[in-house]
Amino acid sequence: MTSTATGRPAAALVVRGVISLAVALIFAILLWRAVQRPLWIDELMAMINYPIGSLSGLFAPLPYYSQAAPPLFNLICSAIAALAPAMARLVLAVAIFGGLAALAWVAFRRWWAPVVVIAYPIAIPSLLAYATELKYYGTETLGIAAITAWFVMRDPAKPLRWRDVVVLIVGMACGISTVILSALALGLAGLLSLRERRRIGLSELAMAVVFGAVLIGYYLAIRFGTSIQIHNYPGSYGGKGAVAGARGFLHAIDGLLTSRGTLLALAAAVIAWFGDARSRRLLLLAACALVVLLGLAATNLYPASEPRHVAWINGIVLFLVLNAVATLIARGQTPATLGVAALMALIAASTLPSAIQRIRDPDAGTRAASDRVIAWLATQPPSPVGMWLGTQAAVQYYRGFVPTIGRHRYFGAVDQSSVLVPDTLMAKSFLAQPYDVIANTIEARRTRPGGYANRVVYRLVGDYRGAARSMLSEAPRGRPFYIATIHADLEAKDPRNLRRRDGLLNALAERHCRYDPVLTARSAFVLRVSCPAA
């Protein structure tokens, strides 16, 4: 009897160890793949802004390429800017997943909680993708998770304390959407406390006022910091109407979670409905967040059209999954519990083939093979090289890590200063003019502050020939040269990629230039070009 009793804990420890090691191994491989992927254009344009040299600069629009990020993330990127890209990604990911695992442990106090955190991206890969991206989406997810954990753990029967306010402020500082979620969490917590205790103390009201003041100050700082970016990209952040805004928000969530991830989240939400008080509080926060953000998206107050815009939702869904595991374990081995657990396990298992594919595919998660272009430039003798689309930012960023790419004579550079695009250049009356008039106006300003930003006009009219013509005007005549391209495919299928590629190829055709591809990769290519001498 004694030997059996002592054998069971030992066997349980072995099972736990095997499960933990298996999950950790898969996660480690996926993490290693994720940190090795090359930077895509948004990361390239963001990272050349770091390090930031002043405290005020942390709160201001980033100086180049109309980029923006929360102050805390600006500080983090300033600290890791000198690291090689893979190491910078790894440091960021370790911090984010370490924070998520710590929150899961604090909230559930079970051995499996950190294991579920690293198992989650096996089933829903977007968490790992954005945790390793050199943008603020991963830290924002961590902030949302911190706010969610606080809301779930807080006892409504107890008064608000200063440490609660601190947790919410720290969570809010991790992102931008965190402003809305932190305010929502505090408001819901106040209502639950009022229902439970029938009163709100004066000290609690004072704390709420302090939090509100900090929130308003942070919101104003974020609004200032993102002002140039939002203004200069009306296609991404401009008004789209109620139906289009709501549809874009839901489409972004679907792209983030994928169909299987959405099923997993819905199953976890159903379990929360039948769970304890903590489970229902979690479900309340998740439902209110969805309704509020959907409403803001429909009124164009929360422009979210891409999965990265709603990456923070992983912070809530992760806690729904953690809560589902805790609820099922607490219920014991009843037929209903075993059936629901089997269903969730089946949904999770259905994601394994894609996880295996990500392990086997070295290019999994690559949005633009900028590293292939940089590697090619590093091996070539000094040559004239035209920079098309994202190549200027790539050369600026990678030159510090691959000095040999600096030996080429680059042409086609534009001023990258973050400046508001004049409203006159985006007005319907200006865009209705003949294309050559538009292009000549834009290119006349290409070397002035905001030269790159003004080229957003080509995105609005769907024709990039003007930028390509300017680049070719600086190319050598009568002898071969190269054009390196990042952020476009030579064999484009996506309409946006097609327009970026065709802008270049049509400009080459106008000058009767001949070209041959010497490198083709995902959203990247290099052409060897010869143009007539006259």
Side-chain angles (χ1 to χ4, degrees):
M1 180 117 177
T2 304
S3 60
T4 303
T6 56
R8 286 176 181 171
L13 285 174
V14 171
V15 171
R16 293 177 184 181
V18 170
I19 293 173
S20 300
L21 285 174
V23 172
L25 178 61
I26 297 173
F27 173 76
I29 296 173
L30 291 173
L31 175 61
W32 183 246
R33 288 285 196 204
V35 302
Q36 295 293 327
R37 73 185 191 275
L39 276 65
W40 71 296
I41 188 170
D42 278 24
E43 293 176 292
L44 291 167
M45 293 192 301
M47 288 305 294
I48 66 166
N49 287 280
Y50 303 110
I52 294 173
S54 67
L55 180 62
S56 61
L58 299 176
F59 296 86
L62 294 177
Y64 305 119
Y65 292 112
S66 304
Q67 294 296 297
L72 178 60
F73 189 77
N74 285 336
L75 183 63
I76 293 171
C77 279
S78 294
I80 64 175
L83 298 177
M87 184 56 65
R89 289 192 191 277
L90 182 61
V91 170
L92 185 62
V94 169
I96 290 169
F97 276 100
L100 291 173
L103 288 170
W105 171 255
V106 169
F108 294 94
R109 299 288 181 176
R110 295 292 184 269
W111 69 271
W112 47 262
V115 178
V116 170
V117 169
I118 61 174
Y120 181 96
I122 299 174
I124 303 178
S126 58
L127 177 59
L128 181 59
Y130 290 119
T132 53
E133 185 160 317
L134 296 175
K135 299 283 284 184
Y136 67 89
Y137 310 121
T139 57
E140 186 169 71
T141 301
L142 178 60
I144 294 296
I147 293 167
T148 303
W150 171 84
F151 184 79
V152 170
M153 294 173 60
R154 186 179 182 278
D155 185 354
K158 293 182 179 179
L160 188 71
R161 298 179 180 177
W162 282 112
R163 66 185 182 187
D164 298 316
V165 176
V166 171
V167 170
L168 289 174
I169 290 174
V170 171
M172 180 173 61
C174 290
I176 294 177
S177 298
T178 46
V179 172
I180 301 171
L181 269 293
S182 60
L184 178 63
L186 182 59
L188 290 174
L191 291 175
L192 291 176
S193 185
L194 182 62
R195 188 188 69 170
E196 187 76 19
R197 298 163 48 221
R198 305 294 182 183
R199 62 183 294 273
I200 297 291
L202 288 177
S203 62
E204 294 175 277
L205 291 175
M207 293 178 202
V209 169
V210 170
F211 173 78
V214 174
L215 182 144
I216 292 172
Y218 184 74
Y219 166 76
L220 292 175
I222 290 297
R223 185 173 180 178
F224 171 64
T226 59
S227 57
I228 292 179
Q229 184 180 57
I230 291 176
H231 175 85
N232 287 0
Y233 290 97
S236 298
Y237 303 107
K240 300 178 180 179
V243 175
R247 186 189 298 120
F249 177 73
L250 295 175
H251 179 74
I253 294 176
D254 181 65
L256 179 80
L257 299 178
T258 71
S259 57
R260 292 184 179 89
T262 301
L263 285 175
L264 193 63
L266 290 174
V270 171
I271 293 171
W273 177 266
F274 294 100
D276 58 12
R278 282 185 21 146
S279 299
R280 289 190 291 274
R281 285 202 300 273
L282 172 59
L283 186 59
L284 174 66
L285 178 64
C288 288
L290 181 62
V291 170
V292 169
L293 271 299
L294 180 62
L296 291 175
T299 55
N300 296 311
L301 294 175
Y302 186 78
S305 57
E306 298 287 342
R308 63 182 182 272
H309 299 156
V310 294
W312 55 266
I313 286 177
N314 275 319
I316 295 178
V317 176
L318 172 60
F319 268 80
L320 282 170
V321 173
L322 285 162
N323 178 75
V325 174
T327 301
L328 292 174
I329 292 175
R331 295 255 173 163
Q333 297 182 4
T334 65
T337 299
L338 292 174
V340 173
L343 176 61
M344 290 194 68
L346 183 62
I347 296 172
S350 69
T351 65
L352 286 177
S354 63
I356 294 171
Q357 180 63 29
R358 281 181 280 138
I359 291 174
R360 297 176 61 183
D361 182 7
D363 294 325
T366 297
R367 301 189 64 166
S370 56
D371 59 334
R372 296 277 302 278
V373 174
I374 296 301
W376 182 88
L377 290 170
T379 60
Q380 298 302 305
S383 308
V385 178
M387 298 183 293
W388 181 235
L389 299 174
T391 304
Q392 177 174 328
V395 170
Q396 288 174 306
Y397 175 74
Y398 279 108
R399 185 177 287 176
F401 305 104
V402 188
T404 52
I405 67 174
R407 61 191 173 196
H408 301 291
R409 184 183 74 78
Y410 294 101
F411 59 90
V414 293
D415 183 88
Q416 69 269 28
S417 303
S418 295
V419 176
L420 289 170
V421 176
D423 290 332
T424 54
L425 296 184
M426 294 191 286
K428 290 182 179 180
S429 57
F430 177 76
L431 299 178
Q433 296 184 91
Y435 181 78
D436 287 348
V437 174
I438 295 173
N440 290 339
T441 302
I442 298 300
E443 295 310 309
R445 308 178 183 210
R446 70 182 184 275
T447 58
R448 303 176 196 169
Y452 183 90
N454 291 336
R455 284 182 170 178
V456 73
V457 171
Y458 297 135
R459 190 175 173 184
L460 300 178
V461 299
D463 190 337
Y464 290 80
R465 282 177 298 157
R469 290 169 180 169
S470 289
M471 178 186 65
L472 292 175
S473 70
E474 301 175 10
R477 291 302 184 106
R479 64 190 183 95
F481 59 91
Y482 296 97
I483 296 177
T485 303
I486 293 172
H487 198 44
D489 285 300
L490 194 57
E491 298 179 359
K493 296 179 180 178
D494 178 84
R496 292 174 295 182
N497 247 332
L498 190 65
R499 289 191 288 268
R500 291 191 287 262
R501 181 206 66 182
D502 286 352
L504 173 62
L505 300 188
N506 290 337
L508 288 171
E510 289 176 351
R511 289 178 174 263
H512 306 290
C513 302
R514 294 180 300 169
Y515 61 87
D516 295 295
V518 297
L519 171 69
T520 57
R522 184 175 298 178
S523 288
F525 60 86
V526 177
L527 301 179
R528 188 176 188 273
V529 183
S530 295
C531 295

